[in-house]
């Protein structure tokens, strides 16, 4: 993240994203597949990096080998064609977008960090500082109820941040400047869709 100044001199916290170019690799239609969607590919790689089925899927339409493939639902798949390149020109400044990606993994975390539990007293002879406390009733029901908040893996899962505003677009470098933060570390793979 960084910050930029607008015309009024206000500081805006922004994230700078390198976007695409993405290539449409497959078009799914209501007639053939039961729903309308496009599959897009990103990240040119050597053909040696792909399995034979992956390489054959792209070679069928004479497309270059791509590392990542992802499907997006669309209202009308007739607006797209295979081999069409999608880049930042699909977006406009001021538009709101949803950004989805894998959040930063924080390892096996305790209850205070993971679920914002309050800790026990630190003084007056208390030995309960960061312990979980009771995890349920006794003989009835005789089990821990599903969904009980406990210590465990925190982060490293798919997170969506909604309604982020596009501040600037650079078509030459394929760069989006987004107000606010996005999931994951620098270099993380994200999917961006209109809100």
């Amino acid at each position: 993240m960084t910050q930029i100044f607008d015309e009024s001199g206000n500081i805006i916290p922004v994230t700078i994203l390198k976007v695409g170019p993405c290539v449409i690799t497959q078009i799914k239609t209501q007639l053939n597949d039961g729903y309308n969607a496009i599959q897009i590919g990103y990240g040119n790689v050597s053909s040696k990096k792909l399995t034979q089925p992956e390489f054959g899927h792209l070679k069928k339409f004479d497309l270059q080998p791509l590392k990542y493939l992802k499907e997006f639902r669309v209202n009308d798949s007739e607006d797209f064609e295979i081999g069409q390149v999608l880049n930042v020109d699909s977006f406009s400044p001021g538009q709101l977008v949803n950004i989805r990606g894998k959040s930063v993994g924080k390892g096996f975390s305790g209850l205070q960090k993971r679920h914002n539990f309050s800790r026990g007293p630190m003084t007056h002879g208390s030995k309960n500082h960061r312990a979980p406390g009771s995890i349920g009733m006794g003989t009835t029901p005789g089990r821990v109820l599903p969904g009980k908040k406990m210590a465990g893996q925190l982060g490293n899962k798919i997170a969506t941040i909604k309604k982020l505003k596009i501040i600037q677009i650079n078509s030459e470098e394929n760069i989006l400047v987004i107000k606010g933060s996005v999931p994951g570390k620098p270099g993380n793979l994200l999917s961006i869709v209109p809100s």
Side-chain angles (χ1 to χ4, degrees):
M1 283 191 74
T2 182
Q3 59 188 28
I4 58 173
F5 293 89
D6 66 4
E7 297 80 19
S8 309
N10 298 318
I11 293 178
I12 305 173
V14 295
T15 306
I16 297 171
L17 304 177
K18 175 86 168 155
V19 179
C22 299
V23 182
I24 296 180
T25 55
Q26 187 180 4
I27 294 175
K28 298 197 171 181
T29 60
Q30 185 77 40
L31 188 65
N32 294 335
D33 305 283
Y35 63 99
N36 291 323
I38 56 169
Q39 184 190 72
I40 65 172
Y42 171 71
N44 294 351
V45 289
S46 163
S47 58
K48 293 178 183 176
K49 299 276 185 183
L50 301 181
T51 63
Q52 283 293 327
E54 288 169 340
F55 183 60
H57 173 65
L58 296 169
K59 194 177 180 186
K60 185 164 64 172
F61 298 105
D62 292 328
L63 299 169
Q64 68 268 37
L66 297 162
K67 187 173 184 182
Y68 305 106
L69 297 178
K70 186 167 174 63
E71 198 172 281
F72 292 90
R73 293 286 187 108
V74 292
N75 293 326
D76 189 6
S77 54
E78 291 177 4
D79 301 340
F80 303 96
E81 56 187 39
I82 291 173
Q84 181 182 338
V85 176
L86 302 176
N87 51 29
V88 291
D89 296 330
S90 310
F91 300 104
S92 58
Q95 185 180 355
L96 298 178
V97 292
N98 296 345
I99 297 186
R100 188 176 173 87
K102 189 166 272 192
S103 61
V104 174
K106 298 176 188 290
F108 192 103
S109 300
L111 293 158
Q112 281 74 21
K113 189 182 182 78
R114 191 180 188 214
H115 295 301
N116 298 316
F117 278 27
S118 57
R119 57 170 174 73
M122 301 303 286
T123 54
H124 299 292
S126 168
K127 293 180 179 177
N128 165 37
H129 302 315
R130 294 172 69 88
S134 167
I135 57 167
M137 292 66 76
T139 310
T140 306
R143 64 196 174 99
V144 178
L145 298 175
K148 181 69 190 163
K149 290 180 179 176
M150 292 188 178
Q153 167 72 42
L154 175 60
N156 195 35
K157 63 177 193 292
I158 298 293
T160 305
I161 301 187
K162 297 184 175 182
K163 295 194 174 178
L164 293 173
K165 189 177 184 182
I166 297 174
I167 303 297
Q168 290 176 12
I169 288 176
N170 184 337
S171 301
E172 292 158 17
E173 300 286 331
N174 271 334
I175 283 173
L176 275 186
V177 179
I178 302 279
K179 183 177 181 179
S181 61
V182 299
K185 298 184 175 183
N188 192 26
L189 188 69
L190 301 169
S191 69
I192 304 172
V193 295
S195 292

